[in-house]
């Protein structure tokens, strides 16, 4: 049995690999892989593409490439949970690229400069969008770009859905959100009817002469736990609290506030309570730290601002002595077992943040639209419900209930609706293979630390002004330049310089390189020197007739010209 060791360094591998002979057995091919940031983005942005433009100072071109997928970059640059950065290969070197910070810079610059997108000529088709949250806005945006007329109906006075009513202003400045929403609502063919609740979507379609409908009502109805509350004590739900505060209300919460739950909404509720005057906030969470539902960054921000967490605890009763909690034990299957041991948590008010669901009564008259047990709309692979022409997306169909996931749903639904209006079905293009950190060749890269964003000091976080500030142009350009361009050629010339046979030629800026197979020996020096793995070595076809050189001379017995 032969055993090839892979951990003895480059010398060992160089002496055991298959080398170059008289006949080429492989040759290089320039390829395009899927970068991990693009792959992780729920909105489907070409992050690597617009980062490349931004690092060249082509800010408007970067914004236009970005907004091919996402209409609200300044909004997402602030409030997205940026899973792209979690996936970023740069994190294996030093720190992930601050994608959200560059996106925010481009979005803010577009608002300042008044950039707008172009739309196709009117198609004569009319679509109803129910809900002006991230999914509905994204769907309307992409449909309008294709020339369709879109009417958005929303039950609230102000558009934005949970972006406007659920994300606190200290994370998402309202003037920024309004500016980006206004740009979408000003597009040709887009109209908004606020304070208009759709109670029967099929009836609304028939009365309005719509060709299709997209249901994006979100999940804005709070879930509840059966916690007994004595008279005179305040038990609120987080969704209503965040909505009221977003509308300008400033309810008195008392000195100590308890929050039941451990998700991102619970963190927002706790931080909001601090800004409403609470001196202490404590989360009561039924699981342990390893099973925290909130994203680590969100939980860390809440802790920085003083929020404490009582792990493995469930609420029993809220009365004169505060909140009674019972300790539980977590089982291997994820369930919890009560211990009978109770403790008192001082609390003047209790906020319940245990999830939310959608109000789907507008679909109740349609027996062919299925509603799942978790109160989500059932859709097929094309985002269509069981009723032809009625599509759904965003939080009301479940999945990852985030702003960016909803934006991706809206974009995908718009493509599906456009195809449906043309009597077709949209097919997702093939996805290239994912490029991992192990596939990169980075001997010439130096550490470049992440560009920090200025933050308010803790003592200043007493109101709802933004905690995190943006980057200026030089900082954004530097941060964009930290991108490794994983899996895609950025014309660094390493392959051109490495080829011992001079078989690689430049085709010009933005056009890449060309390999002359008359000269290439298949030595793979180019692939080994490509930092971003934009070159694959492809096996040479076997049993092929001897090739002929560019001057007509036979190249046998070798498959490449031997230099004199």
């Amino acid at each position: 049995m032969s055993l090839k060791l892979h951990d003895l360094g480059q010398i060992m591998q160089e002496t055991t690999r298959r080398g170059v002979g008289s006949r080429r057995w492989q040759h290089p091919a320039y390829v395009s892989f899927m970068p991990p940031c693009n792959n992780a983005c729920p909105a489907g942005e070409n992050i690597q593409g617009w980062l490349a433009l931004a690092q060249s100072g082509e800010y408007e071109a970067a914004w236009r490439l970005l907004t091919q997928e996402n209409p609200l970059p300044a909004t997402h640059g602030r409030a997205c949970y940026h899973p792209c950065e979690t996936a970023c290969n740069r994190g294996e070197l030093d720190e992930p690229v601050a994608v959200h910070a560059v996106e925010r810079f481009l979005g803010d610059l577009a608002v300042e400069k008044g950039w707008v997108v172009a739309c196709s000529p009117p198609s004569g088709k009319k679509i109803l969008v129910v809900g002006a949250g991230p999914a509905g806005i994204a769907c309307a945006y992409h449909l309008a770009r294709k020339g369709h007329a879109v009417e958005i109906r929303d039950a609230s006075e102000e558009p934005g859905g949970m972006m406007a009513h659920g994300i606190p202003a200290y994370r998402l400045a309202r003037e920024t959100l309004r500016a980006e929403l206004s740009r979408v609502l000003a597009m040709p063919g887009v109209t908004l009817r606020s304070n208009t609740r759709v109670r029967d979507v099929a009836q609304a379609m028939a009365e309005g002469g719509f060709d299709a409908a997209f249901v994006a009502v979100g999940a804005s109805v709070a879930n509840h736990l059966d916690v007994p509350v004595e008279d005179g004590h305040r038990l609120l739900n987080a969704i209503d609290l965040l909505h009221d505060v977003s509308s300008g209300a400033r309810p008195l919460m008392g000195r100590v506030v308890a929050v039941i739950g451990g998700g991102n909404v619970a963190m927002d509720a706790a931080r909001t309570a601090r800004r409403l005057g609470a001196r202490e906030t404590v989360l009561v969470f039924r699981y342990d730290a390893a099973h925290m539902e909130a994203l680590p960054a969100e939980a860390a921000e809440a802790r920085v601002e003083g929020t404490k967490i009582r792990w493995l605890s469930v609420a029993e009763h809220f009365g004169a002595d505060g909140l009674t909690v019972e300790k539980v034990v977590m089982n291997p299957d994820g369930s919890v077992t009560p211990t009978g041991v109770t403790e008192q948590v001082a609390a003047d008010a209790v906020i319940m943040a245990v999830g939310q669901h959608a109000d789907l009564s507008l679909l109740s008259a349609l027996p062919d639209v299925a509603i799942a047990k978790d109160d989500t709309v059932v859709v097929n692979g094309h985002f269509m419900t069981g009723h032809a022409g009625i599509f759904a997306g965003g939080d009301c169909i479940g999945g990852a209930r985030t702003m960016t996931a909803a934006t991706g749903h809206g974009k995908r639904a718009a493509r599906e609706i456009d195809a449906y209006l043309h009597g077709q079905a949209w097919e997702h293009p093939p996805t290239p293979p994912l490029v991992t950190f192990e596939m990169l060749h980075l001997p010439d890269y130096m550490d470049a630390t992440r560009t920090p964003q200025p933050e308010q000091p803790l003592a200043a976080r007493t109101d709802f002004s933004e905690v995190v500030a943006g980057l200026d142009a030089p900082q954004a350009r530097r941060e964009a330049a930290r991108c490794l361009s994983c899996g895609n050629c950025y014309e660094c010339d390493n392959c051109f310089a490495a080829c011992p046979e001079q078989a690689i030629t430049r085709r010009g800026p933005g056009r890449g390189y060309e390999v002359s197979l008359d000269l290439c020996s298949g030595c793979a020096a180019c692939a080994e020197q490509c930092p971003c793995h934009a070159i694959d070595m492809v096996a040479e076809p076997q049993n092929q007739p001897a090739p002929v050189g560019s001057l007509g001379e036979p190249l046998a017995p070798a498959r490449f010209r031997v230099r004199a």
Side-chain angles (χ1 to χ4, degrees):
M1 181 180 71
S2 63
L3 177 65
K4 179 178 177 180
L5 301 178
H6 294 277
D7 58 354
L8 298 183
Q10 184 176 358
I11 295 178
M12 179 68 176
Q13 294 193 34
E14 292 291 336
T15 57
T16 58
R17 71 176 187 175
R18 183 177 178 182
V20 176
S22 61
R23 295 177 67 86
R24 184 177 63 235
W25 61 277
Q26 62 176 356
H27 66 267
Y30 288 88
V31 292
S32 294
F33 283 90
M34 172 65 76
C37 55
N38 293 19
N39 185 65
C41 178
E45 292 180 17
N46 182 1
I47 294 172
Q48 189 184 91
W50 59 254
L51 280 176
L53 291 168
Q55 71 171 291
S56 299
E58 300 177 60
Y59 301 133
E60 183 173 357
W63 178 82
R64 293 195 179 281
L65 180 59
L66 196 168
T67 52
Q68 286 183 15
E69 316 298 335
N70 185 348
L72 309 174
T75 299
H76 285 258
R78 286 166 166 81
C80 174
Y81 296 127
H82 40 78
C84 54
E85 297 180 23
T86 303
C88 178
N89 281 333
R90 178 101 209 184
E92 299 286 342
L93 284 179
D94 39 46
E95 297 175 281
V97 177
V99 176
H100 74 283
V102 184
E103 184 171 23
R104 170 177 174 162
F105 166 77
L106 294 173
D108 287 348
L109 185 62
V111 171
E112 177 188 334
K113 300 290 188 181
W115 294 337
V116 296
V117 297
C119 296
S120 300
S123 66
K125 300 294 185 179
K126 185 179 178 184
I127 298 95
L128 171 66
V129 172
V130 185
I137 289 293
C139 185
Y141 169 83
H142 290 286
L143 287 171
R145 294 196 69 176
K146 294 180 179 295
H148 304 309
V150 184
E151 182 177 305
I152 308 171
R153 298 185 185 180
D154 193 86
S156 298
E157 183 176 351
E158 185 178 6
M162 293 304 288
M163 295 184 294
H165 309 303
I167 300 176
Y170 61 78
R171 286 179 52 207
L172 175 57
R174 292 301 180 258
E175 58 271 19
T176 298
L177 176 61
R178 293 189 187 104
E180 291 205 303
L181 290 174
S182 295
R183 183 174 58 229
V184 175
L185 298 175
M187 295 172 69
V190 176
T191 58
L192 170 66
R193 291 178 58 185
S194 299
N195 295 314
T196 305
R197 182 179 297 276
V198 175
R199 302 188 182 281
D200 186 327
V201 66
Q203 182 180 352
M205 286 182 66
E207 293 175 351
F210 294 101
D211 299 290
F214 178 59
V215 176
V217 293
S220 58
V221 182
N223 296 339
H224 291 279
L225 294 177
D226 187 16
V227 178
V229 181
E230 292 182 10
D231 292 342
H233 291 80
R234 302 198 64 187
L235 178 64
L236 310 90
N237 72 70
I239 297 298
D240 288 346
L241 172 67
L242 295 174
H243 183 283
D244 292 345
V245 171
S246 237
S247 302
R250 294 294 182 267
L252 296 176
M253 305 293 294
R255 183 179 179 279
V256 183
V257 175
V259 180
I260 301 173
N264 294 319
V265 173
M267 301 302 164
D268 282 338
R271 296 176 70 187
T272 295
R274 299 281 291 194
R275 286 162 172 78
L276 293 174
R279 298 290 185 89
E280 297 180 31
T281 52
V282 57
L283 262 66
V284 177
F285 188 52
R286 67 189 295 113
Y287 301 125
D288 57 19
H291 294 81
M292 168 63 74
E293 295 168 351
L295 293 175
E298 293 300 308
E301 284 295 317
R303 288 197 191 99
V304 164
E305 294 185 4
T307 296
K308 301 174 182 178
I309 304 177
R310 295 183 69 96
W311 308 105
L312 296 170
S313 302
V314 296
E316 287 264 313
H317 177 267
F318 181 34
D321 296 327
L323 182 66
T324 303
V325 300
E326 181 178 6
K327 301 298 291 182
V328 297
V329 174
M330 193 164 181
N331 303 313
D333 63 357
S335 63
V336 295
T337 300
T339 64
V341 178
T342 61
E343 298 175 353
Q344 296 300 124
V345 176
D348 299 309
V350 174
I351 303 172
M352 196 170 292
V354 291
Q356 55 265 8
H357 61 277
D359 177 3
L360 302 176
S361 58
L362 77 168
L363 297 169
S364 59
L366 296 171
D368 47 2
V369 176
I371 307 299
K373 292 181 179 179
D374 59 351
D375 288 324
T376 56
V377 184
V378 177
V379 295
N380 63 17
H382 298 283
F383 279 72
M384 189 186 290
T385 68
H387 190 94
I390 297 181
F391 298 76
D395 289 1
C396 71
I397 69 169
R401 285 179 166 169
T402 68
M403 173 182 68
T404 315
T407 298
H409 286 184
K411 179 188 74 173
R412 174 68 183 274
R415 293 176 176 174
E416 300 286 0
I417 292 170
D418 178 67
Y420 168 79
L421 295 175
H422 290 89
Q424 302 169 351
W426 186 78
E427 296 296 334
H428 196 288
T431 301
L434 183 67
V435 61
T436 64
F437 180 77
E438 291 73 22
M439 297 167 67
L440 307 179
H441 307 102
L442 304 172
D444 56 346
Y445 275 83
M446 297 177 63
D447 287 355
T449 56
R450 184 176 168 111
T451 308
Q453 292 175 259
E455 294 188 10
Q456 279 186 342
L458 285 175
R461 301 184 190 183
T462 57
D463 59 16
F464 287 85
S465 58
E466 280 192 304
V467 170
V468 180
L471 303 179
D472 60 24
Q475 290 173 326
R477 189 168 180 177
R478 176 196 177 275
E479 189 60 30
R482 296 182 65 239
C483 174
L484 300 176
S485 193
C486 304
N488 292 276
C489 176
Y490 62 96
E491 299 178 5
C492 68
D493 278 356
N494 274 21
C495 58
F496 176 78
C499 180
E501 304 297 337
Q502 299 178 12
I504 296 176
T505 56
R506 301 187 187 97
R507 300 177 62 188
R511 299 174 59 195
Y513 303 89
E514 185 174 4
V515 179
S516 171
L517 295 183
D518 284 0
L519 302 175
C520 174
S521 64
C523 69
C526 55
E528 291 167 359
Q529 290 298 318
C530 177
C532 56
H533 197 106
I535 301 175
D536 257 353
M537 297 305 296
V538 180
E540 196 73 27
Q542 301 299 311
N543 302 319
Q544 297 293 318
V548 176
S550 57
L551 300 179
E553 77 280 20
L555 301 183
R559 288 187 177 274
F560 50 91
R561 184 189 298 124
V562 178
R563 291 186 179 276

